[in-house]
Amino acid sequence: MRARPSGTIRTCVLLALLAATGIAILELVREQTGTSGFFVGLGLALLPVAPLMAAFRWLGRAAPAPWSQLLFCFGWGACTAALIAILANNFATEWIAAATADASAADHLGSVAIAPVVEESAKAAALLLVFAFRRRHFTGPADGFVVAGFTATGFAFTENILYLGNAFVEDLAEDSGALESVTAATFFVRIVLSPFAHPLFTVLTGLGFGVAAVSARRSRRIFLPLLGLALAMGMHALWNGSSQFGEHGFYVVYACVMVPAFGLLVWLAVRIRRDRLRAVARELSLYAAAGWLGPAEVPALASMPARSLARALARRSGGRAAGRTVARYEADAAALALLRNRARRGGPVRERDFAGRERELLHRLWQGRATAGPALARAAVMEELVPPWFDPLAPVGARADVPRPRRVAGAPPAPASTPASAARPASAPDPGLRRSGPWSSATPAGPSSIRPCVLPGGDGVR
């Protein structure tokens, strides 16, 4: 059987594709707008990029995706998806015009029927790649929201360069004044009124992928992304065709459809973020009970202000390296909580690699706990998430449904919050546990069919 290509090969292929399409789209846009129009369009199109990226990054901060993945999505939207859309839309419009001998009808049909299908499909390809090859970082609707947002922001960026550059060239040719400026009108519509349009469409596809990522049924994992894509295409077609609904059609669609849809998605984003932080608190409390985390760390890890404060405290006492350690610790803790939450809910056949991934994350948490634990505990007290008299090192009752940290010969002592039963010397091992590494999670002894970590809820554990 032929071996699958390694991650390094896939990365190199994707980077080469992005580079090639980036060079091609750059030259294509410059050719259509001219050099002066290109630079004017570029400068104006950059204005909404940073706020949009910051907004989507804020949504994903509870369990942040790697910047490399987000930049890939932005690059795919700005380069590959934009190039596919321009070439396919031009070809389809020219073919329709030649077949009907009506250029105006061809432009209208291309805008309403062709462009939404081509553009949303091209953007959805980035989500499909992340969903297929980086499933570890696709843990729910929030990740679909963020990946779709970055992809659509990149696509809108390139499209805005083209529209604004062409408008500037038109103003130069007609020597238009400020009041008649096509550039000003285009800027107002695309940058001021509707910078969220493309992200709004593509987020519907992202939500489909995000819900599919936590669905146990195979039919839903196929149907939900397709449903999201169909909704994105429909919304995009309605937006593109709004000018055909009469003199005030654009404003009617904007006020009655786009603004309410935008408000609904903002409300949904805030709720998804809050629910994700609650899941982090709920799942990490089990690991705190087993001794992997201090009791004060859990409320701090479920609070974004406390996380930020913990990083600042670590940088103040230990420099940038300590701040980075705390940031990694926070990201790993959130990933662990969401991994367990997804598996407990029955995500793609109960996370076949749950035990291995759990061991990996627990190992990394244990390595960084000496630096991150005190900073998070202090942040929890300062943010009043725990009472000021709370002892962050006080032990708590151990839980039987999660692995516990083990003491091994030559290793540093277990933290004070580790239960006594979890810190036995190596000379007196627990017969019911076996080790798979120096600080990796202990797993129940027995046949390989027994899960290393029993999941709460629906499995008999109380």
Side-chain angles (χ1 to χ4, degrees):
M1 186 173 65
R2 185 176 299 177
R4 294 180 61 185
S6 67
T8 302
I9 294 176
R10 287 197 301 265
T11 301
C12 291
V13 170
L14 289 174
L15 288 177
L17 177 62
L18 287 181
T21 54
I23 294 171
I25 194 66
L26 178 68
E27 178 57 26
L28 183 60
V29 173
R30 191 201 62 78
E31 181 181 337
Q32 292 192 22
T33 62
T35 302
S36 60
F38 173 79
F39 282 108
V40 170
L42 176 64
L44 296 176
L46 276 171
L47 295 177
V49 170
L52 286 171
M53 292 175 69
F56 287 112
R57 183 64 172 171
W58 172 86
L59 173 60
R61 286 297 296 172
W67 266 111
S68 58
Q69 176 178 300
L70 299 180
L71 292 178
F72 161 76
C73 292
F74 180 86
W76 181 278
C79 301
T80 310
L83 181 63
I84 292 172
I86 289 176
L87 295 179
N89 288 340
N90 288 344
F91 172 79
T93 302
E94 291 175 3
W95 182 81
I96 295 172
T100 61
D102 187 345
S104 177
D107 287 338
H108 172 62
L109 185 60
S111 174
V112 176
I114 304 299
V117 174
V118 171
E119 294 176 10
E120 295 308 321
S121 298
K123 288 182 284 182
L127 280 68
L128 179 61
L129 289 172
V130 175
F131 186 79
F133 298 110
R134 289 293 183 268
R135 184 71 64 86
R136 176 178 293 184
H137 301 300
F138 219 122
T139 59
D143 294 304
F145 222 113
V146 174
V147 170
F150 269 77
T151 305
T153 299
F155 185 91
F157 168 64
T158 300
E159 192 177 71
N160 285 338
I161 296 175
L162 185 61
Y163 277 90
L164 290 165
N166 284 332
F168 179 74
V169 171
E170 184 177 343
D171 283 340
L172 286 181
E174 297 182 0
D175 195 19
S176 301
L179 296 179
E180 299 86 16
S181 172
V182 180
T183 304
T186 304
F187 180 86
F188 179 73
V189 171
R190 299 191 65 87
I191 306 300
V192 178
L193 279 184
S194 58
F196 58 85
H198 273 289
L200 174 62
F201 309 145
T202 312
V203 157
L204 298 174
T205 308
L207 289 174
F209 275 103
V211 177
V214 294
S215 297
R217 303 172 80 175
R218 180 180 178 85
S219 58
R220 291 182 180 178
R221 295 202 301 273
I222 296 173
F223 171 72
L224 290 173
L226 294 176
L227 175 61
L229 179 59
L231 292 174
M233 292 176 180
M235 182 75 77
H236 196 157
L238 178 63
W239 175 248
N240 283 3
S242 61
S243 60
Q244 305 298 319
F245 299 153
E247 182 179 356
H248 303 292
F250 169 81
Y251 299 103
V252 171
V253 171
Y254 182 82
C256 297
V257 179
M258 297 295 289
V259 172
F262 176 72
L264 178 62
L265 284 179
V266 169
W267 171 82
L268 184 60
V270 173
R271 180 172 179 176
I272 287 173
R273 188 177 190 264
R274 184 176 65 245
D275 289 347
R276 181 173 254 199
L277 288 172
R278 287 177 178 172
V280 168
R282 182 173 60 251
E283 303 296 345
L284 289 184
S285 64
L286 305 177
Y287 291 98
W292 289 102
L293 303 170
E297 293 178 48
V298 176
L301 288 167
S303 166
M304 299 310 297
R307 286 197 203 180
S308 178
L309 178 58
R311 295 193 298 271
L313 292 172
R315 284 193 297 268
R316 188 181 305 168
S317 61
R320 292 184 178 180
R324 287 192 295 269
T325 298
V326 174
R328 285 194 297 269
Y329 187 90
E330 293 169 349
D332 288 339
L336 176 65
L338 295 177
L339 172 74
R340 185 177 181 88
N341 183 63
R342 183 171 173 232
R344 181 170 56 81
R345 293 170 57 186
V349 197
R350 272 194 182 266
E351 292 290 332
R352 293 186 182 90
D353 191 34
F354 173 77
R357 178 64 173 156
E358 182 195 45
R359 272 196 300 270
E360 176 189 346
L361 290 169
L362 287 174
H363 178 78
R364 280 156 46 178
L365 286 175
W366 198 264
Q367 289 179 320
R369 188 177 175 192
T371 299
L376 286 164
R378 187 179 174 194
V381 173
M382 293 176 69
E383 288 289 321
E384 299 182 349
L385 300 174
V386 294
W389 43 262
F390 182 80
D391 181 5
L393 299 180
V396 294
R399 289 286 301 255
D401 56 352
V402 295
R404 291 175 291 173
R406 294 296 311 277
R407 178 84 167 99
V408 296
S417 61
T418 303
S421 61
R424 294 187 183 90
S427 58
D430 186 340
L433 299 173
R434 64 173 182 270
R435 291 192 300 272
S436 57
W439 285 108
S440 56
S441 59
T443 57
S448 58
S449 60
I450 298 178
R451 286 196 194 92
C453 182
V454 181
L455 298 173
D459 51 13
V461 177
R462 297 290 183 269

